[in-house]
Amino acid sequence: MEASVSYSSTMDDEYEKFIKRMNPPRVVVDNESCKNATVIQVDSANKHGILLEVVQVLTDLNLMITKAYICSDGGWFMDVFNVTDQHGNKITDEGVLDYIQKSLGPDSCFASSMRRSVGVVPAMDHTSIELIGSDRPGLLSEVSAVLTNLKCNVVNAEVWTHNTRAAAVMRVTDEETRAAITDPQRLALINRLLCNVLKGSNKYREPKTVVSHGLTHTDRRLHQMMFADRDYERSVDDSLDEKERPNVNVVNWQDKDYSVVTIRCKDRPKLLFDIICTLTDMQYVVFHGNVDAEGPQAYQEYCIRHVDGSPVKSDAERERVIHCLEAAIVRRVSEGLKLELCTTDRVGLLSDVTRIFRENSLTVTRAEVATKEGKAFNTFYVRDSSGYPVDAKIIDSIRQTIGQTILSVKGSPEESNQSQQESPTRFLFGGLFKSRSFVNFGLVRSYS
């Protein structure tokens, strides 16, 4: 039986390579036809997931997709994107344009990212740890403290929370060697101790920290983990203003045997990726699509079928699609105070920072941790553990704790709590770590 499965997989791979050689992808980059955006057209033989792979390449470059036209009916895929940089300018960087051509053109090799397991993954230069469990105040502090005690250095991480659940993808190295951790006994110990930390009062949703193999895209993995954990089963966050709530609708187009999904919501970076990622992992195929995000509000419309060829079959399936897309939109929307840290990296840095948050009654709702060339670049979204607006006295307390650091506040806490726009100010948390960084903060509901 095993030989048969292996043979079938090999044949599928060879067939896909053959189709690709006969019909190589074609990428056209046009900076002339549109006055305010770069137009990127991708033509290729069709396959399930190709739309997500293309969108993933563009969003990983932090490009803003303002318009898109999608057509993949039949055996051919064609997509046209209008993109800009984060400042609304055309893409003129030759390095970026060359990367797009190589990533999506004839020489590309779209990597499969369908893995769904959760756990600790040894990689070339780091070990990837995937966690999901019940959210609670101080959770990230406890997880990072365990890793520090186990002589693990966090080189990058991303943490999302939604509907009482928390998911994280963390990449760590050994404290001494700064290499991946491969010892099976040590990996088992990490699994066991982190699982103990993640255990909460929810008896029906146990935390997951099991060993798996392979690597996948971090944001996609977080979507997959939360989807598998059924975080969509609760309604959209009631704290969202009515204007901020996503409007998702699904109807069947009987004449064409499609289901038509329409989405209206506030635009933000990576919105298109989040929606296409969710549809793809729910095993739906987008045959036609139209995206318009040139203003503050984004409009998206898709003609979809399940991979078995059928449109949405029942009211229950329709409601599930709506709830899952709402969750995908809201997961990346983070309430609270945006804090940005920039300092020299060291072992235990994340543990120390999150401990200070916890000691000052702040809970982390989302985090992005990165290191590069000995520097740590971390972003945290925090709120008061009791649900109240963050008080300026808490910031004063943090400033006293971290030492020689300059802290500035944009507006009053009341004004900041009402703001739904992302603040341009930044929080550089350097004084605690004996660097002379300036500290600013802005309270936002982030749409980045």
Side-chain angles (χ1 to χ4, degrees):
M1 179 64 69
E2 292 181 356
S4 176
V5 171
S6 175
Y7 176 77
S8 176
S9 175
T10 301
M11 289 298 293
D12 287 343
D13 290 342
E14 291 303 317
Y15 179 73
E16 185 172 327
K17 291 177 183 177
F18 172 76
I19 293 297
K20 190 171 181 179
R21 286 195 300 269
M22 295 300 294
N23 302 280
R26 185 172 69 96
V27 179
V28 177
V29 178
D30 177 8
N31 260 326
E32 302 299 328
S33 60
C34 181
K35 68 177 183 179
N36 57 2
T38 298
V39 180
I40 299 173
Q41 179 174 324
V42 182
D43 300 316
S44 173
N46 197 13
K47 67 171 183 176
H48 180 58
I50 188 172
L51 174 59
L52 175 59
E53 292 166 343
V54 173
V55 171
Q56 182 172 299
V57 168
L58 298 178
T59 53
D60 283 350
L61 290 168
N62 293 318
L63 302 183
M64 311 294 289
I65 300 173
T66 58
K67 282 183 176 291
Y69 170 76
I70 300 160
C71 181
S72 61
D73 213 346
W76 196 253
F77 167 87
M78 185 190 77
D79 205 344
V80 179
F81 299 93
N82 284 20
V83 303
T84 68
D85 63 18
Q86 292 181 309
H87 305 291
N89 302 316
K90 291 185 179 184
I91 313 304
T92 57
D93 188 315
E94 290 298 329
V96 173
L97 296 177
D98 184 60
Y99 179 83
I100 292 172
Q101 289 279 2
K102 290 181 178 178
S103 298
L104 302 178
D107 298 328
S108 67
C109 182
F110 293 123
S112 175
S113 52
M114 298 297 289
R115 184 176 61 87
R116 294 177 176 271
S117 55
V118 181
V120 178
V121 185
M124 291 290 291
D125 56 356
H126 62 258
T127 298
S128 181
I129 302 175
E130 298 178 353
L131 312 167
I132 190 160
S134 297
D135 186 28
R136 67 174 185 275
L139 179 60
L140 180 57
S141 174
E142 295 176 40
V143 167
S144 54
V146 167
L147 292 173
T148 299
N149 290 336
L150 292 171
K151 308 298 182 183
C152 299
N153 182 47
V154 179
V155 293
N156 60 65
E158 188 147 354
V159 181
W160 290 1
T161 63
H162 181 236
N163 280 352
T164 75
R165 307 299 288 170
V169 176
M170 311 179 79
R171 292 182 171 89
V172 304
T173 59
D174 178 78
E175 177 183 324
E176 294 184 1
T177 66
R178 296 301 175 100
I181 301 167
T182 58
D183 178 63
Q185 293 184 343
R186 190 175 178 191
L187 292 176
L189 178 62
I190 293 172
N191 271 331
R192 185 170 71 254
L193 295 182
L194 290 178
C195 196
N196 288 338
V197 169
L198 286 168
K199 283 181 179 177
S201 58
N202 193 328
K203 298 179 180 179
Y204 302 100
R205 292 185 179 178
E206 289 297 319
K208 298 178 183 178
T209 56
V210 298
V211 176
S212 64
H213 303 283
L215 297 174
T216 193
H217 188 268
T218 299
D219 288 6
R220 186 177 187 187
R221 193 70 196 105
L222 288 165
H223 276 301
Q224 290 175 340
M225 292 161 65
M226 285 196 144
F227 171 75
D229 196 59
R230 306 191 307 279
D231 72 317
Y232 55 83
E233 289 185 344
R234 293 182 57 194
S235 60
V236 175
D237 190 349
D238 291 334
S239 68
L240 283 173
D241 183 87
E242 191 63 32
K243 294 181 180 179
E244 307 296 335
R245 296 169 69 91
N247 183 333
V248 183
N249 192 30
V250 179
V251 297
N252 279 358
W253 185 6
Q254 300 294 347
D255 291 345
K256 298 294 184 180
D257 209 26
Y258 293 125
S259 291
V260 180
V261 178
T262 56
I263 300 165
R264 292 179 175 85
C265 65
K266 182 178 177 63
D267 189 34
R268 59 165 174 78
K270 300 189 177 182
L271 176 64
L272 178 59
F273 170 85
D274 294 336
I275 291 169
I276 297 300
C277 177
T278 299
L279 288 172
T280 302
D281 284 334
M282 290 182 72
Q283 300 296 298
Y284 289 100
V285 178
V286 175
F287 287 87
H288 300 280
N290 182 51
V291 175
D292 187 347
E294 288 191 309
Q297 294 292 316
Y299 174 80
Q300 301 185 21
E301 181 180 81
Y302 304 101
C303 296
I304 67 168
R305 293 184 190 136
H306 194 268
V307 289
D308 65 8
S310 65
V312 172
K313 298 177 182 178
S314 65
D315 288 341
E317 183 182 357
R318 175 180 172 275
E319 289 299 313
R320 184 170 182 264
V321 171
I322 290 173
H323 291 158
C324 289
L325 289 175
E326 287 177 342
I329 293 168
V330 174
R331 281 180 196 131
R332 202 190 289 269
V333 178
S334 302
E335 296 182 32
L337 193 70
K338 181 181 180 181
L339 311 177
E340 290 189 359
L341 179 151
C342 178
T343 188
T344 302
D345 186 35
R346 63 172 175 81
V347 176
L349 175 63
L350 181 62
S351 177
D352 288 342
V353 174
T354 52
R355 174 181 53 80
I356 292 170
F357 293 163
R358 184 184 63 188
E359 290 173 349
N360 285 275
S361 300
L362 299 181
T363 184
V364 177
T365 61
R366 186 174 138 218
E368 300 172 8
V369 176
T371 59
K372 183 178 180 181
E373 298 177 351
K375 289 285 187 179
F377 305 92
N378 301 346
T379 301
F380 303 95
Y381 298 86
V382 301
R383 61 184 178 190
D384 185 271
S385 299
S386 301
Y388 297 105
V390 177
D391 196 291
K393 292 180 180 179
I394 292 178
I395 303 304
D396 291 339
S397 176
I398 292 176
R399 181 166 58 181
Q400 292 173 10
T401 302
I402 64 178
Q404 301 301 316
T405 308
I406 299 174
L407 184 67
S408 64
V409 179
K410 182 180 180 181
S412 67
E414 292 78 13
E415 291 172 349
S416 297
N417 188 50
Q418 295 172 359
S419 174
Q420 299 295 316
Q421 300 298 320
E422 183 162 358
S423 167
T425 59
R426 295 194 171 190
F427 189 120
L428 300 178
F429 216 131
L432 172 63
F433 311 105
K434 299 181 180 179
S435 65
R436 299 192 177 189
S437 300
F438 290 90
V439 181
N440 302 285
F441 83 89
L443 182 64
V444 298
R445 181 183 296 278
S446 167
Y447 290 87
S448 61

